Amino acid sequence: MLIVEDPQRTRRLHRIATRFGQKFREMTVETFRAIVVSRGEDKKQSVAVTELSPGDLMEGDVTVAVEATTVNYKDGLAITGKGPVVRRWPIVPGIDCAGTVVRSENARFKPGDQVILNGFGVGETHTGAYAEYARLNGDWLVKMPDGIDGRTAMGIGTAGYTAMLSVMALERHGLTPDRGPIVVTGANGGVGTVAIALLGKLGYEVIASTGRTEEADFLKSLGASEIIHRDELSGPAKPLAKERWAGGIDAVGSHTLANVLSMTSYGGAITACGLAQGMDLPTSVAPFILRGVSLLGIDSVMAPLALRQEAWARLARDLDPAKLEALTTEIGFQKVIEAASDIIDGKIRGRVVVKMDH
Ligand code: NDP
């Protein structure tokens, strides 16, 4: 990726850091916008855009002025209450942000540094990213790699970083483009679109599985060479079926993952990161004991710092910026709650980036 140093932007970020850092130190930032998810005594969940003060943020040694955030499937579950993501009430949801350090008691960071946060329970048990400020533990933060800015980082977000972790896991298994095609399920989703763009750039033949076959041209423009309908994979799986791919990145789980495993060629590997169809895995041991297939688990939330840094450095290098732009939709902060419902209803194509205006 081309590294563009923009002195004007750097000066602006330092101005933000200085202005807000000073305000934070002097506690003159009185209120800022945030989304809060609450639960009543009847356990009914509600969500609202509101004003918070610095005292509402949980403990942390680094305060970040949030420049951009995003809407992941997990954020959709947290805001709609359709999955048990939130484990502390009330909470500011939002599992991802990128921004500028405005205050730091952590030796790794100083005001003005650009950082990325993915996971670590932020937006689940720790006040999260859907606010103009986030107070975080410095051990959770990755320094922004060269060539990436906050908007780009959140175009990628946890979904894209998970796609990268998945590609890296396939590589560690020894899969190379000459071994055969890679299937990507949930192809029009966040993990799926970024996975296709990465695999395409790395020279793999990609088979995209989707319920939205009308998006075939879009998926091909990202790097897919063949599109299959997800119905081919969504019913009960045979223990073994005809070998169709050397590997796969699965964001769907359940019968889909079982079918993907049963169609993997000898010695291949499939990564499992998601549960869009379901959390179950109705499979047999046949692919493992008769074809030596491996199932590789991917967790982005607690991934160690070294792995995160490697994944973000690879994203800066191996993700084509034009393809990322093509799969990204930008929305304002006021649209986050609506986008959270849309992602659960499968209406979002690719990734959503949320730009914050300070
Ligand atoms: P998205 O909602 O963006 O994409 C999910 C895609 O899955 C949809 O676009 C759709 O693709 C497909 N899908 C949805 N429902 C079904 C269904 N019933 N059967 C088959 N396919 C379906 O989510 P993300 O890409 O952001 O995340 C995907 C999954 O990965 C989620 O379950 C998420 O929780 C998980 N995840 C896990 C992480 C980890 O650390 N392990 C990190 C990030 C995400 P299409 O329209 O093309 O069919």
Side-chain angles (χ1 to χ4, degrees):
M1 177 181 282
L2 187 67
I3 298 172
V4 186
E5 260 301 314
D6 177 350
Q8 245 184 338
R9 187 171 165 276
T10 309
R11 275 198 298 278
R12 186 176 66 79
L13 293 173
H14 276 276
R15 266 202 314 277
I16 291 175
T18 311
R19 185 153 44 97
F20 287 103
Q22 192 173 356
K23 282 186 176 178
F24 247 92
R25 275 191 296 280
E26 295 166 1
M27 300 307 274
T28 55
V29 169
E30 283 174 6
T31 60
F32 53 86
R33 277 178 310 157
I35 292 172
V36 173
V37 174
S38 318
R39 195 152 83 162
E41 274 174 23
D42 55 358
K43 303 243 161 124
K44 216 169 155 238
Q45 186 170 314
S46 59
V47 58
V49 179
T50 184
E51 295 278 320
L52 293 184
S53 62
D56 295 317
L57 296 178
M58 290 173 73
E59 289 292 301
D61 56 4
V62 178
T63 304
V64 176
V66 176
E67 186 187 339
T69 174
T70 178
V71 180
N72 293 285
Y73 191 83
K74 199 177 205 178
D75 298 312
L77 292 175
I79 287 183
T80 59
K82 293 206 168 135
V85 170
V86 175
R87 280 163 286 134
R88 173 195 178 272
W89 309 86
I91 196 145
V92 176
I95 64 167
D96 273 339
C97 69
T100 309
V101 171
V102 293
R103 181 177 172 159
S104 173
E105 279 103 46
N106 184 297
R108 281 177 62 226
F109 299 100
K110 59 180 187 324
D113 285 348
Q114 289 279 285
V115 291
I116 304 171
L117 176 280
N118 307 113
F120 275 119
V122 174
E124 301 181 53
T125 53
H126 188 97
T127 41
Y130 293 148
E132 288 176 281
Y133 295 94
R135 195 180 286 135
L136 302 164
N137 183 335
D139 295 342
W140 301 338
L141 300 172
V142 171
K143 285 196 176 150
M144 190 81 67
D146 287 340
I148 288 192
D149 63 11
R151 185 185 181 282
T152 307
M154 288 299 103
I156 296 167
T158 282
Y161 143 68
T162 302
M164 189 74 247
L165 290 176
S166 306
V167 171
M168 285 159 55
L170 294 179
E171 289 173 345
R172 276 199 304 278
H173 187 79
L175 282 192
T176 44
D178 58 309
R179 291 275 302 273
I182 305 290
V183 66
V184 174
T185 63
N188 270 294
V191 173
T193 47
V194 178
I196 293 169
L198 285 168
L199 291 166
K201 172 125 190 260
L202 293 167
Y204 291 89
E205 183 186 338
V206 181
I207 300 175
S209 164
T210 181
R212 290 180 265 179
T213 43
E214 68 278 12
E215 298 288 357
D217 288 345
F218 165 68
L219 296 173
K220 285 186 176 165
S221 75
L222 293 181
S225 46
E226 186 184 340
I227 313 297
I228 60 172
H229 198 283
R230 76 186 192 198
D231 288 353
E232 284 188 40
L233 304 175
S234 60
K238 292 181 187 159
L240 287 179
K242 184 171 172 278
E243 296 180 20
R244 293 175 80 174
W245 34 71
I249 293 182
D250 178 62
V252 173
S254 193
H255 293 297
T256 300
L257 177 53
N259 276 296
V260 164
L261 286 165
S262 75
M263 297 173 188
T264 303
S265 55
Y266 195 91
I270 304 298
T271 64
C273 75
L275 40 62
Q277 186 182 15
M279 208 174 195
D280 57 333
L281 180 52
T283 186
S284 76
V285 295
F288 311 117
I289 64 172
L290 298 176
R291 286 193 184 149
V293 168
S294 295
L295 180 56
L296 311 173
I298 304 296
D299 170 56
S300 65
V301 180
M302 302 306 290
L305 186 61
L307 192 61
R308 286 167 189 265
Q309 284 168 331
E310 187 188 342
W312 278 101
R314 287 284 307 270
L315 284 159
R317 196 182 80 198
D318 293 336
L319 183 59
D320 180 340
K323 295 210 166 132
L324 178 64
E325 196 53 39
L327 62 85
T328 303
T329 307
E330 183 175 321
I331 61 169
F333 188 60
Q334 73 286 355
K335 292 273 188 198
V336 167
I337 295 173
E338 192 182 320
S341 289
D342 286 348
I343 199 164
I344 297 301
D345 294 342
K347 290 189 195 154
I348 302 252
R349 187 184 82 169
R351 300 275 306 130
V352 168
V353 67
V354 184
K355 279 279 284 173
M356 302 291 282
D357 288 320
H358 279 272

